[in-house]
Amino acid sequence: MNILDMKFMKNFIKITEDAWLKGWHERNGGNITYRLTEEEVNEIREDLNEEASFQPIGVTVANLANEYFLVTGSGKFIRNISLNPSENVGIVKVDESGENYKIVWGLENNARPTSELPSHLMSHSVKKEKTNGLHRVIMHSHATNVIALTFVLPLDGKVFTRELWEMATECPVVFPDGIGVVDWMVPGGADIARETAKLMEEHNAVIWAHHGIFCSEATLDLTFGLLDTIEKSAEILVKVLSMGGKRQTIKPDNFRDLAVDFKVELDEKYLYETDLVNA
Ligand code: 13P
Ligand code: ZN
């Protein structure tokens, strides 16, 4: 089947359009990758250029050997993907060693995969292992309110998780494993990829201080939904802080009750006592 007619491609384009409209992807900000299923690869195999040459990823992802990923291009505007997919996104294949990739489709006119490929592939690697292959998507967005909070809250995953859980009752159900936080680091390399992947062992969302957020999930919809939920919660927190802080809130015992009814496990490390700002 023509690659542009494949369902995964249509879903990918829809998510990039929605994320652009959310305001999370100024210019070329942010990047998205999707790990294709074996069936999807089989359906498009005759349109893939397996003759392309391999280049180093910069990190080793042994358990992703021979996997194919749909990836956004480096420097490409997320807003332009739906207008011209084959110039702005591509499909890459990881080699047998997990150390190199080649472009087998798209990224026309000498475009390159996102500069965050090491962070994406290392996170995919951790999630493939941890979820028995269920997770297939990594989405990195410059979500405005999440970034704003990294200038005000301590850069501590326990604090971010608890504060964001409190901002909307269903947040602990959507991200029961909490959020990790990486201190400010130079983006686009192996070091930030390793720090992010370490936190992906425990969380489906990792915030990069003063930069953005990485989310992982099984499908494009679920990944978008997770990112959207966290960003909305961050927006509420920004508003609450701007209005002078919390006067009442959801308490640790409320979360414990919620966990029972919604059948989620909430780690007690997030359920510490806090003081209300203006009580
Ligand atoms: P790319 O254009 O290389 O994907 O980089 C954008 C970005 O958000 C870097 O963190
Ligand atoms: Zn970025």
Side-chain angles (χ1 to χ4, degrees):
M1 195 196 271
N2 185 313
I3 292 177
L4 293 174
D5 293 331
M6 293 288 292
K7 195 153 182 260
F8 74 84
M9 181 63 86
K10 290 186 171 162
N11 281 345
F12 193 87
I13 291 171
K14 170 179 167 278
I15 292 305
T16 60
E17 274 183 327
D18 289 351
W20 154 254
L21 291 172
K22 284 281 184 185
W24 305 337
H25 295 275
E26 78 291 342
R27 205 175 179 278
N28 65 309
N31 22 75
I32 308 171
T33 56
Y34 167 73
R35 184 166 58 86
L36 275 70
T37 65
E38 242 182 272
E39 295 74 38
E40 286 162 343
V41 175
N42 285 336
E43 279 197 62
I44 60 171
R45 204 172 282 283
E46 63 189 34
D47 289 334
L48 302 180
N49 169 26
E50 294 288 348
E51 305 309 314
S53 51
F54 280 107
Q55 352 231 341
I57 299 167
V59 294
T60 305
V61 285
N63 68 338
L64 300 182
N66 301 313
E67 294 266 15
Y68 292 78
F69 293 86
L70 178 58
V71 303
T72 54
S74 187
K76 298 298 185 185
F77 292 18
I78 297 291
R79 195 254 177 278
N80 289 340
I81 290 175
S82 60
L83 305 174
N84 189 342
S86 56
E87 272 192 7
N88 292 292
V89 304
I91 297 175
V92 301
K93 182 188 185 182
V94 175
D95 74 353
E96 191 65 43
S97 69
E99 288 180 354
N100 304 290
Y101 73 91
K102 65 182 177 186
I103 300 167
V104 293
W105 179 85
L107 293 171
E108 285 167 359
N109 303 323
N110 298 318
R112 312 300 320 154
T114 172
S115 58
E116 303 296 1
L117 195 65
S119 285
H120 279 255
L121 292 185
M122 278 198 85
S123 296
H124 275 292
S125 171
V126 166
K127 286 303 183 187
K128 185 182 173 192
E129 160 90 23
K130 285 264 160 195
T131 68
N132 286 323
L134 189 71
H135 279 207
R136 293 190 171 272
V137 181
I138 298 288
M139 181 165 181
H140 165 54
S141 296
H142 294 177
T144 315
N145 292 285
V146 166
I147 297 171
L149 288 177
T150 66
F151 293 90
V152 176
L153 294 185
L155 297 176
D156 175 346
K158 283 205 287 298
V159 175
F160 267 81
T161 300
R162 174 57 184 280
E163 291 295 322
L164 293 176
W165 277 1
E166 280 183 38
M167 291 302 112
T169 293
E170 294 187 7
C171 278
V173 181
V174 179
F175 49 101
D177 299 325
I179 300 174
V181 179
V182 174
D183 267 328
W184 187 87
M185 289 182 79
V186 176
D191 289 345
I192 197 165
R194 284 192 197 96
E195 288 305 310
T196 308
K198 228 185 280 169
L199 290 168
M200 282 287 181
E201 300 261 350
E202 191 183 337
H203 312 284
N204 289 339
V206 174
I207 289 172
W208 283 2
H210 322 320
H211 183 149
I213 183 165
F214 265 72
C215 284
S216 169
E217 256 297 352
T219 66
L220 287 155
D221 268 343
L222 285 171
T223 315
F224 182 91
L226 172 61
L227 214 152
D228 195 17
T229 305
I230 293 170
E231 170 59 7
K232 175 160 184 176
S233 179
E235 182 181 349
I236 298 169
L237 186 53
V238 166
K239 289 182 185 196
V240 169
L241 294 172
S242 309
M243 290 186 289
K246 294 174 258 178
R247 286 175 183 271
Q248 55 272 327
T249 188
I250 304 169
K251 302 198 176 66
D253 274 344
N254 301 142
F255 285 124
R256 292 183 185 106
D257 292 344
L258 185 81
V260 173
D261 278 22
F262 281 77
K263 299 182 179 48
V264 287
E265 253 181 63
L266 301 181
D267 195 318
E268 280 291 319
K269 75 180 173 208
Y270 298 122
L271 301 182
Y272 52 85
E273 293 295 331
T274 53
D275 293 327
L276 292 170
V277 181
N278 287 335

